[in-house]
Amino acid sequence: MKGLILVGGYGTRLRPLTLTKPKPLVEFGNRPMILHQIEALAEAGVTDIVLAVNYRPEDMVDTLQKYEKEYGVNITFSVETEPLGTAGPLKLAEKVLAKDPSPFFVLNSDVICNYPFKEMIEFHNAHGGEGTIVATKVEDPSKYGVIVHHPGTTKIDRFVEKPVTFVGNRINAGIYILNPSVIDLIELRPTSIEKETFPALAKKGTLHSFDLEGYWMDVGQPKDFLAGTGLYLNSLGVRNPEMLVPKDASYLHSGHVLVHPTAKISPSAKLGPNVVVGPGVEIGDGARISRSVIMSNAVVKPHAHVKQTIVGWNSRIGRWARTENVTVLGDDVEIQDEIYVNGGRVLPHKSIGSNVEKPEIIM
Amino acid sequence: MSTKAVILVGGDTRGTRFRPISLSVPKVLFPAGEKSLLAHAVDAVIAQPNISEILLIGFYENSVFDNFLAQVNREHPDVSVKYLREYKAMGTAGGLYHFRDQILRGKPKRLFVINADVCSSYPLSELTAKYDESEANGVILGTRVAKGIAANYGAIIADDNGKVLHYVEKPEESVSTLVNGGIYLLDVSVFDVIAQAKRVHGDEHAGNLDDEDDDEDKLSLEQDVLPVLADTGKLFVYQTEAFWRQVKEAHSALVANLLYLEDSGAKNAVWVDPSAKIDPSAKLGPNVTICEGAKVGPGARIRDAVILPRAEIRANAVVINAIVCSGSRIGRWARVEGSPISVSSYESTVVKDGVKVPRVAIVAHDVAVADEVHLQNSVVLPHKDIRNDVRNEIVM
């Protein structure tokens, strides 16, 4: 089988992290974001994976060559020379996606969930249509494109953009399985799969939706990245609790905490809920960390308080410092002792020596 | 007398005040008129007699200077120009010390040492004359600055003959308006002083194991070496009356552009690279540099601005008090503007509506500003699409 991952551009919404690493390689739950998807596709029997990108960073090429061997898949890059929207990349990758009549997966690289690829194949084959969209339920459908079904079926009738009256609460989760025939509907120009291709398929009556179990999140920006981390850890707690810090660990405060085995954590520190600690990280005595991600080789010094913060690689948080409110530190940033940072986005290699009192970009 | 030159070019983990421009071009390769800040320095050195070698020292990746070096070596095949990369930031004297064997190879008698992030007339002949007539073992280029900002520089106290009596780097309170211009001619015996400073520094470091920020390889020419040289009575200052400016952030880069353009006598203080395409109905200047492959459409207006390679300013767009980086596109009737540039001002921000905002509008590498958009006192990071008006903001 085949799969297309829509990676897109420079991931500017996830800056300052993506000033240092291409977005697909930024670690989510201590593993590169794209690895979650490659692994799930490989497990479902996918052997050919195409990454649709606007540019091709060399470090990404090197890393993915490693994964090709590890997971026994072929990974190719499909590079857009001009932005083609969400449907154009399918046309551009036609050679791989339509090389045989079997259906192919399409997923947005920012979306995390328990990818239900095997179940999707069964469902797709059973209904016999041209396409299947994964649908997720949301509390406030008025912000999204809502799916409306033919009554009593999984067949999609139409989509309603940002509905003002209630028409349903299922939205497109950004994951699909499609027959190669769908590519024939797409022209090689900037095209939206959501606004052009899918409505056309719905009209033909060959598009179905599949309900996603469990969590779903677009983690393309820092606030959602942190929220998504919480959902992911929650899911690990159900499916692989042995991967999380045991309940009796001296430094566990509450909730789910994922710690890389090479991290060094003081027994008097308190972590949780929803904390990920990366490789080589050091956390000092009496430090407090909640709802945060600490990337590899960062240091949280004694008595620091790190709350709702992404601490970038090799960064250092000083003694009695406090960071909160979706603060994001790029690579090799220093927060000096006793400093307070409220919602700061700090670019790489900066040293912060005075308080950041309100959300601000520190260039 | 055989002379070498060492030009300190810095690195990308420092000089963060030049962001976001420096995310795509190192500060020293930023253009000011016909050539980059670094090329101004290199060409000034090459114009001196008996220069055997020029060594650039910094901590950028090697590839950063490949094109620059290829061009210099092509234009000046008789002078060896090389880049030596520090494996980490070692300070202004640390790099000199680390590469001492290479610098001293061929037994030069003296060295020009130049910080490339300044804009200067590079009066190197005058520096040399002062050195010879004073029987000095070192001459500093000195420049007068306003009392209010003098404490941001190295202060020089000298007698009437220019003999340096006292040197202090960035004093807490201004002690002299004669300051260090970051350009030196030094006898090679300076390496003995650096070696001595290194020993002292190493001892201090050994006694202070706790402080992780104290790096024993780090040495500062200004803090560890010049004060010692001043005490020998053989360090002199040559005070220049010509233009001089340190290039720190975007505003000072535009000032440097103006100073170099005025110095070159360019008509209306405008430099346009021969490969740039300018529509005849566009109006440029004063204080404008347009780099190679850039395009300026009909009816566009550009003033107090630098347009980097392959950027495009489309028809009827206005770019004032701004820097547009390589490959960026400014749409038709768009307006990119900062607050006025001033040679006498050192402020990189201005106060608008009671808040500090960026003085110069900066559009970083590969940004698209849509037609008719107004971008005012704002800074845009690379690879962004700007479709709506932006005021007093940093767009990440």
Side-chain angles (χ1 to χ4, degrees), chain A residues 10 12-13 15-16 19 301 316 332 334 345-350 361-363, chain B residues 12-14 16-17 19-20 23 212-213 366 379 381-384 394-396:
Chain A
Y10 294 89
T12 62
R13 292 186 305 157
R15 283 176 176 171
L19 290 172
K301 294 194 179 160
R316 300 160 307 281
D332 182 32
E334 179 186 23
R345 305 286 162 94
V346 186
L347 268 68
H349 313 300
K350 296 294 285 189
I361 295 165
I362 316 290
M363 192 115 83
Chain B
D12 53 8
T13 53
R14 293 288 183 278
T16 55
R17 276 174 298 186
R19 287 173 174 169
L23 294 174
E212 293 162 32
D213 300 328
D366 185 33
V379 172
L381 269 69
H383 308 299
K384 298 295 284 188
I394 295 171
V395 181
M396 188 134 85

Side-chain angles (χ1 to χ4, degrees), chain A residues 184-195:
Chain A
D184 299 337
L185 297 175
I186 301 169
E187 290 171 46
L188 193 57
R189 59 172 174 85
T191 320
S192 162
I193 199 166
E194 297 87 359
K195 295 198 172 97

Side-chain angles (χ1 to χ4, degrees), chain B residues 8-48:
Chain B
L8 304 172
V9 296
D12 53 8
T13 53
R14 293 288 183 278
T16 55
R17 276 174 298 186
F18 208 57
R19 287 173 174 169
I21 304 163
S22 56
L23 294 174
S24 55
V25 55
K27 183 165 69 175
V28 297
L29 292 182
F30 190 79
E34 187 178 350
K35 50 197 173 189
S36 65
L37 296 173
L38 178 58
H40 282 287
V42 168
D43 288 359
V45 171
I46 288 177
Q48 291 297 303

Side-chain angles (χ1 to χ4, degrees), chain B residues 98-373:
Chain B
H98 183 71
F99 291 112
R100 60 193 179 279
D101 292 346
Q102 227 152 330
I103 296 168
L104 294 174
R105 192 172 298 152
K107 298 199 166 41
K109 287 273 182 281
R110 56 194 186 185
L111 298 175
F112 283 111
V113 176
I114 296 173
N115 289 284
D117 66 344
V118 300
C119 155
S120 168
S121 62
Y122 288 105
L124 303 183
S125 302
E126 290 85 340
L127 225 62
T128 307
K130 183 79 189 171
Y131 187 102
D132 291 338
E133 78 187 30
S134 314
E135 295 179 0
N137 63 12
V139 177
I140 307 182
L141 178 84
T143 183
R144 290 277 172 194
V145 296
K147 193 162 170 56
I149 59 159
N152 298 327
Y153 302 89
I156 298 167
I157 293 158
D159 68 13
D160 292 345
N161 297 321
K163 184 157 86 177
V164 177
L165 304 173
H166 184 63
Y167 181 90
V168 53
E169 182 65 12
K170 297 191 178 95
E172 273 183 30
E173 270 176 55
S174 160
V175 292
S176 170
T177 58
L178 180 61
V179 302
N180 177 359
I183 298 169
Y184 318 95
L185 180 58
L186 302 172
D187 186 89
V188 291
S189 62
V190 69
F191 281 102
D192 301 335
V193 179
I194 299 177
Q196 175 63 29
K198 168 105 181 147
R199 278 193 293 276
V200 172
H201 210 262
D203 290 347
E204 282 170 3
H205 182 78
N208 188 11
L209 291 171
D210 225 22
D211 190 350
E212 293 162 32
D213 300 328
D214 188 19
D215 183 337
E216 65 171 322
D217 292 327
K218 234 178 199 172
L219 278 175
S220 160
L221 197 59
E222 298 80 9
Q223 280 166 14
D224 300 323
V225 179
L226 292 183
V228 180
L229 280 183
D231 287 345
T232 65
K234 301 203 84 178
L235 182 66
F236 286 74
V237 56
Y238 168 75
Q239 184 183 331
T240 181
E241 304 301 329
F243 67 92
W244 181 91
R245 180 87 176 206
Q246 187 173 11
V247 179
K248 288 182 174 173
E249 29 54 56
H251 175 242
S252 52
L254 287 183
V255 170
N257 192 53
L258 179 62
L259 294 172
Y260 275 129
L261 285 169
E262 284 179 340
D263 183 57
S264 73
K267 193 182 163 209
N268 201 18
V270 172
W271 163 260
V272 176
D273 185 274
S275 67
K277 289 199 176 69
I278 314 293
D279 188 275
S281 67
K283 187 176 175 196
L284 311 184
N287 186 17
V288 168
T289 289
I290 312 254
C291 296
E292 65 265 21
K295 283 188 201 162
V296 178
R301 175 73 179 106
I302 305 177
R303 171 163 63 76
D304 289 300
V306 174
I307 311 298
L308 282 103
R310 297 171 304 285
E312 190 179 345
I313 313 301
R314 295 192 175 144
N316 306 307
V318 176
V319 177
I320 294 176
N321 306 322
I323 293 170
V324 177
C325 292
S326 55
S328 288
R329 286 88 58 201
I330 308 301
R332 294 171 302 160
W333 294 284
R335 182 180 177 92
V336 174
E337 72 175 324
S339 295
I341 304 310
S342 161
V343 176
S344 59
S345 168
Y346 293 80
E347 292 298 324
S348 62
T349 54
V350 291
V351 176
K352 268 191 163 183
D353 309 331
V355 284
K356 274 189 180 178
V357 301
R359 177 177 204 138
V360 172
I362 304 173
V363 173
H365 168 69
D366 185 33
V367 166
V369 175
D371 290 353
E372 303 183 23
V373 161

